[in-house]
Amino acid sequence: MISDRLRSLIRKEFIQIARDPRTLYITFAIPVIQLFLLGYTATTDVRNVPLVVFDQDRSPTSRRLVDAYRAADYFRLAYDVGSEKELRELIDRGDARAGLLIPPDYSERVLEGEQVAVAFVLDGSDPNVASTTLAAAELIGKAHSTDLMVERLMRQGLAEAFDPPLEVRIRVWYNPDMESAFFMVPALIGMILQLLTSMLTATAIVRERERGTIEQLIVTPIRSWELIVGKLTPYVLIAFFDMLEVLVVGTFWFGVPIRGSLGLLLALSALFLTGSLGIGLFISTMAKTQQEAIMLVYFTMLPTIFLSGFFFPLAAMPPVLQAISYLIPLRYFLIIIRSVLLKGVGASSLQQEIIALAIFGLVMMTAAALRFRKRLD
Amino acid sequence: MAEPAVWTRDLTKRFGDFTAVDRVSFEVRAGEIVGYLGPNGSGKTTTIRMLLGLLRPSAGEASVLGYDVRRETERIRARVGYMSQKFALYDELSAWENLTFYAGVYGVKDTAALQRAVDLVGLAQVKDERAAALPIGWRQRLALATAIVHRPTLLILDEPTSGVDPVARRAFWDLIYALADEGVTAFVTTHYMDEAEYCNRVGVMRRGRLLAMDTPTALKRMALPGLAWDVRAEPLLEALEVLEGAPGVLRAGLAGDHLRAITSRGVRASDLRRALRGRGLQVRLVAKVEPTLEDVFLALAAD
Amino acid sequence: MALIEAENLTKSFGNVLAVDGLSLHVEGGEIYALVGPDGAGKTTTMRLLCGAMEPDQGRVRLAGYDLAREPDRARNELGYLPQRFSLYGELTVLENLRFFAEVRGLPRDQWLPRSKEILEFVGLAEFVDRRAEALSGGMKQKLGLAAALVHHPRVLLLDEPTGGVDPVTRQGFWQLVIRLLRQGVAVVISTPYMDEASRCTRVGFMNAGRLLMEGTPTEIASRLAGRVLAVTGSPWRVLEQIARQDPEVEDVRAFGDRLHLRLRPGSGRRVARRLRRAARRAGADLEGVRAVDPGLADVFLAALEGVPDG
């Protein structure tokens, strides 16, 4: 049941929001801009690594090896050089990130059936790229080597008898093309939900304090909870709107699938929001100016972004940080939203995360409500 | 009217080592307009905030409309109209929207009550303008209107005329009198010495202490230790110097084109003339005048 | 010679004529108050006088220097204390003063002796090392004044200098201003306070960008001489009604414990007689009727209502 007082408060809040269209536009524009930026820039996919080749053999056999590298879109044949020195220079300058050195007797020895060593040089300055490139280079090299062996056996008439003893078929689930956007869009929804709600609620309440209107509100018969709910409701709606916006752009532009139940996702988002609102409310009880409130919100966002598994896998972090990450609500929500969107799982597989979020929301809200008194001292 | 609208006994508020309000005791009778006069930082706002339960008293007691300020805060708030120093208006909202907002918060549904408030303060012509666009005189009236939508019996106004020009101030006091006619009690703080003259009784605050509270006339009679004089003499600034050193003169100051002096009671006009002539100054006028509340304030502050 | 000479100053913002043909002359040793309601053009006038704004028409001369033609010389003669003067809270009293002195172009070897002298003058000498944020309101104001005076100006402009200040502090501030007047400085203050204006040697009342009237406080008050009656008694609501019905009462103003009536010129005795009679008939108790000196506020309110002088 909504009391008249509460309705008044919510109506006022909406008028204020509507009369400040610039802030509203920014509120709706930021998530989409962030989505595009992160979707395209924060990609950990490795594609089109510039490759320099120093082919000392220059035979059809060696060209087949180069073609094998070129065929996968991991590499782009950028340079074909005539000396090891040139190859080194290109990699030093960063013009090429990988180099392939084929020895002069390559074709001869392959046809002889001997083992040949081919050198693959890699620029390791960006470890993320390097590790993926290395794996790709190895894979391509091994595949080509298998091809060559099969051909050799066929030439000896043994092909019929030959069947490789083991074939590893890698299948990537949930995100078969390993698109970063699939990973980023759900994470971004979580981050936006938290950032927007905590920022908007904190500043909206602190603004009343700055302007002196909170004092007037306190002396009215309005109840604390009404004041809190009235201030929060509009921002919850805005946050949900933003979330749908990101979801729509993520689905239609980046092709992120929604495999699970949208209803479940919205319900769990609401649960996650109680925590974020609690953070915003709590900050509003501490900050005296909007500027201070914004700084405090950023302060909470830093650990949230780095320790939630947003960019960096938690499993690779030192144990202390991993332990801290259990206190970060976004950590749980990321698991939830990635699972629901990409894996299509139901609530039963997410019980732990749901309980964690519920506890966090409850604690945060209670702490904030206790601090939020209808008094000035 | 047996019960006073407000009473306090030794009301005290400390912030750390600083005593903002120091053992203040007073009464506001129902139907009175009581002024609370003092410079910025003298404890006026802190007193009001304790009355409204916005701050918890460190010591002492206070009751508003018969309710205890510590325990029955919400009952007080529902019955009191409060206008804070900053004029608590939402800039993005129109005048009317501000009013309906506060009415809603007070649970007033009847638009006739809103219309009444609008008519009383004469807001009709600016009803649909954004609060941000209103000149300060109108903002002040709007703030008053929002404070009376729920028909409070006690109005607490914290520096309602601060920054408002003399013409708008005069009009504002006419509104307060109109409300008083309807039986509303008003407790008004101000730092304008001349404004306190509008009140039935005036309390004089300085550095957290309530120095005196009485009618303006009685304050002038009782609080001033001596006599007030207007003195005209040439050259003026030299005359000021002479007066400052003359026997019996407690205080002398520039009052535009003449001087104003406060002397002890025994001093006569001829004493002042003699002192000035003795230094070769031309004396045009020495006249006994009515003291102002500022004279009273300075006299009380000196103790 | 007038240290401040403003001729026919005009300034408009869009369609709004903020200052309309204003002329002002203030001599050394004079303190001139600009009073008037909100939006009368006081602040714009002050800004035109200090050169923070350029007039559409007219000119300003400070100590003989034309503000438009010789701005550096004119400004060198000018001290200005804005309403919210900017002190740096994190800096000490002396550091603040040094900053303002250096901004004013005082050479290295002069700022320190001059700062000490001026701090002595305003009574802040013992607080040189205190941070500005730790000063009381009155002390901040004195520091503001010191900053405005650090380069020995002969013209001082004060924009609403003592709003809300403790009267005891205000008293001290005025003592300083009087000493400046003795040194021959010309001072202009803008203020919404009538009691502040009434302390000045001359008062100009502004409305809608124009000077409505100008004169010494006594001259201005004499315009309503004999035309203000103070009435005491009870019940005062009845007395108020009686007064309002009198044909020769122009205005009734309620104060806490008395009424002030503004009368038509020369009607004092008649009105007093009629009031006594009417009060008796109404059964009201008329304690006293006496003529009081009109205040500046009385005159200005009358002027705004367009009442002719008598």
Side-chain angles (χ1 to χ4, degrees):
Chain A
M1 195 206 82
I2 293 183
S3 73
D4 288 344
R5 289 193 292 257
L6 187 53
R7 195 174 303 141
S8 254
L9 199 61
I10 295 174
R11 189 192 308 123
K12 181 219 84 181
E13 210 66 34
F14 272 118
I15 297 178
Q16 280 189 293
I17 293 170
R19 298 266 164 89
D20 183 10
R22 223 173 337 167
T23 308
L24 198 61
Y25 294 149
I26 293 172
T27 311
F28 291 139
I30 282 181
V32 178
I33 294 171
Q34 270 179 324
L35 181 59
F36 275 94
L37 284 176
L38 285 175
Y40 283 115
T41 61
T43 170
T44 50
D45 303 353
V46 176
R47 274 205 190 99
N48 296 327
V49 173
L51 176 72
V52 50
V53 175
F54 175 32
D55 183 355
Q56 301 174 69
D57 190 35
R58 304 232 168 238
S59 65
T61 319
S62 69
R63 212 156 301 135
R64 271 185 65 204
L65 176 64
V66 175
D67 285 343
Y69 277 95
R70 220 159 58 172
D73 44 348
Y74 284 107
F75 298 102
R76 163 171 68 87
L77 183 57
Y79 303 95
D80 190 351
V81 296
S83 72
E84 197 176 333
K85 187 168 161 273
E86 279 175 88
L87 181 140
R88 183 174 299 278
E89 275 171 8
L90 282 167
I91 291 181
D92 280 350
R93 282 208 303 270
D95 290 346
R97 306 293 290 268
L100 180 64
L101 278 112
I102 303 175
D105 52 353
Y106 176 77
S107 54
E108 208 173 308
R109 293 176 66 178
V110 166
L111 294 175
E112 296 280 312
E114 288 175 41
Q115 200 181 20
V116 205
V118 172
F120 194 87
V121 188
L122 202 58
D123 173 0
S125 54
D126 183 339
N128 267 335
V129 176
S131 63
T132 320
T133 315
L134 184 65
E138 267 187 313
L139 205 68
I140 294 167
K142 286 212 171 101
H144 191 66
S145 147
T146 312
D147 285 353
L148 290 174
M149 199 186 302
V150 171
E151 280 170 27
R152 198 160 65 207
L153 292 171
M154 272 166 70
R155 270 199 309 274
Q156 294 169 0
L158 291 172
E160 298 299 321
F162 183 79
D163 248 333
L166 176 76
E167 190 191 56
V168 179
R169 287 195 187 158
I170 297 171
R171 196 170 288 157
V172 179
W173 277 11
Y174 312 131
N175 185 359
D177 296 326
M178 300 222 269
E179 294 264 4
S180 285
F182 283 27
F183 184 70
M184 282 299 167
V185 169
L188 197 62
I189 290 175
M191 194 194 76
I192 288 168
L193 280 181
Q194 180 173 340
L195 180 64
L196 270 179
T197 46
S198 53
M199 178 86 79
L200 290 174
T201 49
T203 53
I205 293 174
V206 173
R207 190 168 60 216
E208 297 235 12
R209 183 167 306 150
E210 265 183 347
R211 291 206 203 156
T213 44
I214 195 94
E215 192 174 336
Q216 195 73 36
L217 284 184
I218 291 176
V219 303
T220 66
I222 203 160
R223 308 261 168 273
S224 284
W225 71 264
E226 289 173 331
L227 196 48
I228 293 174
V229 173
K231 292 294 299 184
L232 300 192
T233 309
Y235 301 106
V236 172
L237 293 179
I238 289 181
F240 268 105
F241 191 90
D242 274 334
M243 168 179 169
L244 291 175
E245 189 184 324
V246 174
L247 214 49
V248 166
V249 176
T251 309
F252 290 103
W253 186 268
F254 290 100
V256 177
I258 304 178
R259 297 209 173 91
S261 142
L262 196 60
L264 176 68
L265 185 63
L266 291 179
L268 294 182
S269 301
L271 183 63
F272 172 62
L273 280 184
T274 51
S276 306
L277 291 168
I279 294 175
L281 196 60
F282 195 82
I283 286 174
S284 79
T285 63
M286 301 199 296
K288 288 198 179 66
T289 61
Q290 291 188 63
Q291 202 184 4
E292 217 176 298
I294 291 170
M295 293 310 289
L296 284 169
V297 170
Y298 274 116
F299 186 71
T300 63
M301 283 314 287
L302 281 178
T304 296
I305 289 174
F306 290 108
L307 299 181
S308 62
F310 189 133
F311 287 120
F312 311 112
L314 289 169
M317 287 178 195
V320 181
L321 290 182
Q322 281 195 42
I324 295 176
S325 78
Y326 286 104
L327 298 173
I328 308 263
L330 187 61
R331 176 207 160 105
Y332 305 106
F333 188 65
L334 287 191
I335 295 174
I336 290 176
I337 192 167
R338 281 173 179 159
S339 304
V340 174
L341 283 181
L342 304 180
K343 300 186 197 171
V345 303
S348 52
S349 326
L350 297 165
Q351 274 174 12
Q352 282 184 7
E353 284 75 22
I354 293 173
I355 290 169
L357 280 187
I359 291 173
F360 184 84
L362 198 67
V363 168
M364 215 54 229
M365 272 297 187
T366 314
L370 284 178
R371 276 187 62 94
F372 192 90
R373 288 246 181 76
K374 277 186 73 183
R375 280 232 306 273
L376 293 173
D377 58 352
Chain B
M1 298 282 174
E3 179 135 43
V6 179
W7 68 259
T8 72
R9 194 184 307 137
D10 291 331
L11 193 62
T12 301
K13 179 69 187 179
R14 284 182 287 268
F15 296 105
D17 303 339
F18 174 66
T19 307
V21 172
D22 190 5
R23 286 166 290 146
V24 162
S25 304
F26 67 89
E27 243 184 58
V28 176
R29 293 187 282 271
E32 264 191 316
I33 300 177
V34 169
Y36 211 51
L37 173 69
N40 295 345
S42 59
K44 304 188 298 285
T45 300
T46 307
T47 307
I48 279 186
R49 287 182 169 167
M50 284 193 281
L51 295 181
L52 289 162
L54 289 167
L55 294 173
R56 232 183 148 66
S58 309
E61 289 167 69
S63 102
V64 174
L65 299 171
Y67 299 108
D68 186 276
V69 295
R70 283 197 183 81
R71 287 177 287 107
E72 295 166 300
T73 307
E74 291 301 333
R75 287 171 188 256
I76 293 172
R77 290 172 178 172
R79 290 164 179 77
V80 173
Y82 171 49
M83 187 172 151
S84 66
Q85 237 172 74
K86 285 189 185 167
F87 302 165
L89 302 174
Y90 295 95
D91 283 348
E92 303 89 345
L93 272 60
S94 71
W96 180 255
E97 285 164 344
N98 266 289
L99 264 183
T100 46
F101 167 64
Y102 280 111
V105 166
Y106 275 108
V108 177
K109 288 180 192 155
D110 163 23
T111 33
L114 294 190
Q115 199 55 52
R116 193 189 65 96
V118 167
D119 293 342
L120 181 82
V121 302
L123 272 176
Q125 49 171 320
V126 297
K127 223 168 81 160
D128 298 318
E129 291 198 35
R130 297 255 177 108
L134 294 176
I136 187 160
W138 285 111
R139 289 173 66 80
Q140 174 204 37
R141 283 160 176 244
L142 176 57
L144 179 65
T146 62
I148 59 173
V149 284
H150 58 300
R151 288 183 162 254
T153 52
L154 172 66
L155 261 182
I156 294 186
L157 311 175
D158 193 9
E159 303 237 346
T161 58
S162 180
V164 177
D165 68 67
V167 182
R169 266 161 65 194
R170 157 101 205 256
F172 187 77
W173 276 97
D174 285 342
L175 291 178
I176 303 291
Y177 280 117
L179 287 167
D181 267 357
E182 296 178 13
V184 174
T185 308
F187 185 69
V188 188
T189 71
T190 178
H191 65 253
Y192 292 91
M193 296 288 152
D194 52 349
E195 188 159 272
E197 302 265 2
Y198 285 114
C199 304
N200 301 133
R201 286 193 305 137
V202 179
V204 181
M205 279 291 278
R206 183 164 194 259
R207 294 184 180 165
R209 307 285 303 272
L210 182 61
L211 302 178
M213 187 182 261
D214 214 326
T215 64
T217 315
L219 281 175
K220 289 173 191 171
R221 204 166 42 226
M222 311 300 288
L224 206 63
L227 307 168
W229 302 87
D230 269 358
V231 176
R232 284 170 199 285
E234 300 289 334
L236 196 62
L237 294 174
E238 279 173 42
L240 178 59
E241 213 165 338
V242 173
L243 271 189
E244 278 167 349
V249 174
L250 301 173
R251 197 161 60 70
L254 193 65
D257 46 0
H258 60 281
L259 306 172
R260 187 174 189 84
I262 305 293
T263 69
S264 49
R265 291 209 188 276
V267 173
R268 283 168 305 175
S270 55
D271 300 335
L272 297 177
R273 278 176 203 280
R274 206 176 310 121
L276 291 165
R277 290 216 177 96
R279 297 281 288 272
L281 299 170
Q282 271 205 307
V283 182
R284 304 214 185 281
L285 171 85
V286 175
K288 219 187 284 181
V289 291
E290 203 173 305
T292 63
L293 274 180
E294 177 146 9
D295 295 327
V296 171
F297 189 97
L298 289 169
L300 288 169
D303 298 339
Chain C
M1 180 192 74
L3 288 178
I4 303 173
E5 299 165 272
E7 305 291 348
N8 194 31
L9 286 182
T10 302
K11 178 79 185 174
S12 47
F13 303 103
N15 297 326
V16 185
L17 203 53
V19 176
D20 182 8
L22 181 133
S23 297
L24 198 70
H25 295 254
V26 185
E27 293 185 18
E30 261 197 310
I31 175 161
Y32 187 102
L34 270 181
V35 288
D38 237 31
K42 301 191 297 281
T43 303
T44 309
T45 305
M46 293 298 265
R47 287 180 181 160
L48 292 175
L49 289 179
C50 72
M53 268 183 196
E54 228 173 280
D56 300 337
Q57 268 178 54
R59 55 171 203 153
V60 177
R61 288 166 73 88
L62 301 177
Y65 300 111
D66 191 297
L67 194 54
R69 285 198 212 117
E70 296 175 280
D72 290 342
R73 289 193 167 186
R75 283 192 183 142
N76 211 26
E77 299 288 349
L78 171 75
Y80 177 48
L81 181 59
Q83 201 174 345
R84 289 206 184 89
F85 57 90
S86 36
L87 287 172
Y88 298 97
E90 307 83 359
L91 301 189
T92 66
V93 167
L94 192 62
E95 285 162 349
N96 266 291
L97 215 48
R98 175 183 191 167
F99 172 76
F100 285 106
E102 287 176 344
V103 168
R104 283 294 192 176
L106 244 67
R108 268 167 179 278
D109 55 333
Q110 275 180 34
W111 75 262
L112 187 61
R114 176 57 188 157
S115 295
K116 287 198 165 155
E117 183 189 330
I118 195 75
L119 286 174
E120 196 70 48
F121 175 78
V122 300
L124 287 178
E126 46 187 313
F127 302 109
V128 281
D129 293 324
R130 189 179 287 194
R131 289 220 187 156
E133 63 200 356
L135 296 177
S136 72
M139 276 157 48
K140 278 183 188 153
Q141 192 187 42
K142 285 179 175 175
L143 180 54
L145 186 64
L149 292 172
V150 75
H151 57 298
H152 276 299
R154 284 193 286 164
V155 171
L156 182 61
L157 303 180
L158 307 169
D159 199 5
E160 304 199 8
T162 64
V165 170
D166 187 337
V168 180
T169 314
R170 177 149 72 158
Q171 191 84 350
F173 188 78
W174 271 89
Q175 297 298 335
L176 291 178
V177 172
I178 289 167
R179 280 166 64 193
L180 288 172
L181 295 178
R182 281 190 185 134
Q183 295 168 11
V185 174
V187 185
V188 175
I189 72 168
S190 78
T191 177
Y193 297 82
M194 290 300 165
D195 56 346
E196 188 127 292
S198 68
R199 291 160 178 257
C200 296
T201 47
R202 270 196 307 144
V203 181
F205 184 62
M206 278 193 86
N207 191 40
R210 314 184 69 130
L211 266 184
L212 280 192
M213 60 176 85
E214 193 181 49
T216 68
T218 315
E219 280 165 11
I220 288 179
S222 70
R223 291 170 177 237
L224 284 184
R227 289 176 58 188
V228 180
L229 280 190
V231 175
T232 52
S234 65
W236 71 279
R237 274 290 167 192
V238 177
L239 296 175
E240 188 193 359
Q241 241 164 16
I242 290 171
R244 281 196 197 283
Q245 278 159 7
D246 192 286
E248 290 187 291
V249 171
E250 285 175 350
D251 186 35
V252 179
R253 202 171 163 198
F255 283 95
D257 52 2
R258 64 188 186 280
L259 300 169
H260 275 194
L261 318 183
R262 193 176 71 225
L263 314 178
R264 293 232 180 108
S267 62
R269 289 194 175 178
R270 289 195 299 278
V271 172
R273 216 166 31 233
R274 279 199 298 270
L275 287 181
R276 286 212 178 81
R277 216 181 303 139
R280 239 192 335 268
R281 265 204 303 275
D285 176 21
L286 190 68
E287 280 169 20
V289 179
R290 66 198 165 89
V292 291
D293 291 338
L296 287 182
D298 294 315
V299 180
F300 293 150
L301 286 170
L304 285 177
E305 289 166 23
V307 176
D309 300 342

